[in-house]
Amino acid sequence: MLRTALRNVLAHKARLLMTVLAVMLGVAFVAGTLVFTNTISDAYQKSSQKGFKGVDVAITPDKKDDDSAHPGDAPRLSQRLLDQAAKSPGAASAYGVVKGSSALADKKGDLLGSGFANLGGNYYPGADGKDPRYTMTEGRAPKAAGEIALDSRTAERGHYKAGDSIRVSVDGPVRTEKVVGVFTTDDGNVAAGGTLALYDTATAQKLFGKPGQFDEIDVKAAAGTSQSTLKSSIDKVLPEQAKATTAKKLAKDQAKAIEEGMSSMQTAMLVFAGIALFVGIFIIVNTFSMLVAQRTKELALMRAVGATRRQVTRSVLIEATVVGAVAAVVGLAAGVGIGAVLRSVMNSTGANVPDGPLIVAPTTVLASVVVGVVVTVLSAWLPGRRAAKIPPVAAMNSVHAAPTTRGLVVRNTIGAILAAAGIALVVAGAGMGGDGQGPMAFGAAVLVIGIFVLTPLLSRPLIAAAGPVLRIFGMPGKLARQNAVRNPRRTAATASALMVGLTLITGMTVIAGSMQKGIDKMAADGLRSDYVVSMGGGGATGGRPLSPDVSKTLAKLPEVTTISPLRSSPARVAGDSDSLTGVDPKAIKDLVKVDFTEGSFAALGGTKALVDDKIADKNHWKVGSTIPVTYEDGRGGKLTVGGVYKGNQMIRGVMVDSATITPHMATVADFQVMLKTKGGATENNKDLLKKTLGNNPAIKIQNKQDTSDEIASAFTLMLNMLYGLLAMAVIVAVLGVINTLAMSVFERSKEIGMLRAIGLDRGGVKRMVRLESLVISLFGGVLGLGLGVFFGWAAGELIATELPSYEMVLPWARMGLFILMAAFVGVIAALWPARRASRLNMLAAIKAE
């Protein structure tokens, strides 16, 4: 039986090629994902380990969870503590670390680096005048205010050298510093495309709001002293709420954090690899079903001469194992190439990955082989089992071909039950709010399986609906329709492969378009301001601190009619960690629009606060309720609810007068400035604001549409990535259509020969096969579009609980494009089978068995 199975594989090389390609693509995706994520993870881990060079023990603040709302209470690492650590037994040296954000402009005035990693720090010279973290390659280290050193990658990108001047922004206002040196660093953020600017320690502490304080103290052990021994001696001088950690543990924790950070990307990519493999299963089942059907008499003869059912099934599974193994090996090799290409793509987009070798782990090899072989064998098991159950006499007479009425009834009943259950679960999940994700996902899977089971039943009426159009093409069109419904199961399996891909693409397109409209509506309804000013690199709401000088500077402009800085201060509100948002009570009503369930903006001021409806419902607050508050500096107080409003993505939480929280803030800073200008949002006004702020590359000045576009850009980027990933599933589906048509042409060789003999020319044969492919592809496309819209609606119901302005939008233009894409798939997939069918020798075909 082994020899027979191997002989059959070699005898049907062309027929099995599509199966090999389908499995290979899926395996390549899996292997490429693992190689890519392992390579990046390894590169960042090694880069982070280099960053601990010269550090044996690090002292950092150790804030307790119950104090998380009060950064003002955070332990300060002072110069005194640094000196004590340096004198601890076993310590060779110690240096203080100051961290912050420092945005740099290139010589054209544009922001250098990736925005989110514009870092600033201090150069802390030791006894030898050097900082072991940084190696100066040009010039010298900064020693006084107005001096700065740049990392070598940033200097190269910005074309800076020692002696040049550079424009810098730490918290808003633009500063001009002199570049006195260029250094190299192993900082992973710099390796990933960010920037790092160094100042002398006193200047860094002043700029980053930490006068006389450090964010971290790093200690180097003396020769012969272990990290654990040094840590023990340092522990004795540590103040409360400060902790010492060995560099070995820090490196281990950082490696774990990097691995966890990569796991979400890896999971997402593996999901799409799974989709490609799932689509490939249809092809494998189709291929082996047709191969078994073509060898029915051969298998029957084997049974007649003594082969058992198990041996027949085993021979089919051996064939599948060989095919799966070949596909796995080729897929693994392709996956290594995909991993290398993905890393190059990341580098080309500016997200530079630290240098390092491609990592092909043993688990990647094992996963590729297991996935390729297991998927193929499991997919081939059903056709093999079905072949073994056919009685030899029936097989020799081919009386087994037509499925029984009872079998069709059972299949359709099971499909209808699954589809109904899936719809019920999805609808139920849509009505459950944030708790409905699990039921909805399970229901979606059940519904897709139910539709797949029902597809043979659905194929007849849907394909019949295309009959009037196909009649335009005469006899080839009529034959194409008949061929498409001749074997409903095969047609269903082929169409289902395309259906899965288009379901996901359509669903995500519906969600993305609806979210875009919801975000636009939210920005239009929630913002009355003409512009929102914030520091770049912190998402749609800024996030990085903005100097109060920015709002003071803008307020002096005669063109600015209304202005309010927004500042956030962590606090403990009614016993829970939260934050207070400070605004100008006189201006805010003209800058934001919220709907009040109680009270109004008029109540805001002093100790009276406005709270969003969710917080109010949670705490059972209403107008007049008293709110116990512990401010950022640890002082207690009481606020009174002056109004309850409906929160949205633009503004939510507890809103108070800025004057109330400012005295309690450790560092007074804003996260946004909202303002209105004479004449509204015009290019002239925007240019004026930019010029007033010194054409600062780090500051964003956005109107309503800019704000909306920035929020939506993340979804657009994700959608484009998903389109690229789902393209794999569509490619596999194309292979499935080609495979089905090629097999169908082989099966119908005699029939095609007869058609040629009675007058159908080669062009007619080509047209017949192409139209059959087109009909099958459009059938799958229509099913995919219908399911995608349904799933898009259901997911939108969940999103609407977090984004009240969400409104479902059907992207008719893109849906039409998807249908055209399905048609294009059908046309492309039919090229080779149609050409092969038209070139059949009619006499040889008529004599074919």
Side-chain angles (χ1 to χ4, degrees), residues 743-792:
M743 292 294 204
S744 180
V745 166
F746 179 84
E747 281 185 343
R748 304 201 311 263
S749 295
K750 190 170 185 176
E751 174 188 322
I752 292 171
M754 291 292 293
L755 289 171
R756 290 290 314 284
I758 61 175
L760 189 65
D761 60 12
R762 288 187 173 184
V765 172
K766 284 184 179 180
R767 204 156 39 246
M768 176 185 72
V769 176
R770 287 171 183 165
L771 289 172
E772 179 184 349
S773 174
L774 186 63
V775 166
I776 293 173
S777 297
L778 287 175
F779 172 51
V782 169
L783 287 180
L785 239 61
L787 282 174
V789 169
F790 178 65
F791 291 147

Side-chain angles (χ1 to χ4, degrees), residues 424-441:
L425 283 169
V426 171
V427 172
M432 293 169 65
D435 298 326
Q437 295 180 4
M440 184 180 290

Side-chain angles (χ1 to χ4, degrees), residues 75-109:
R76 301 295 186 177
L77 306 183
S78 64
Q79 183 68 44
R80 181 171 175 271
L81 177 59
L82 190 152
D83 294 337
Q84 288 177 326
K87 295 175 183 177
S88 296
S93 60
Y95 54 91
V97 179
V98 184
K99 301 175 184 177
S101 297
S102 185
L104 308 174
D106 63 18
K107 292 187 176 180
K108 295 180 180 178

Side-chain angles (χ1 to χ4, degrees), residues 464 466-475 477-478 481:
V469 177
L470 292 175
R471 289 195 196 101
I472 298 173
F473 298 94
M475 185 55 64
K478 182 178 180 181
R481 187 184 69 81

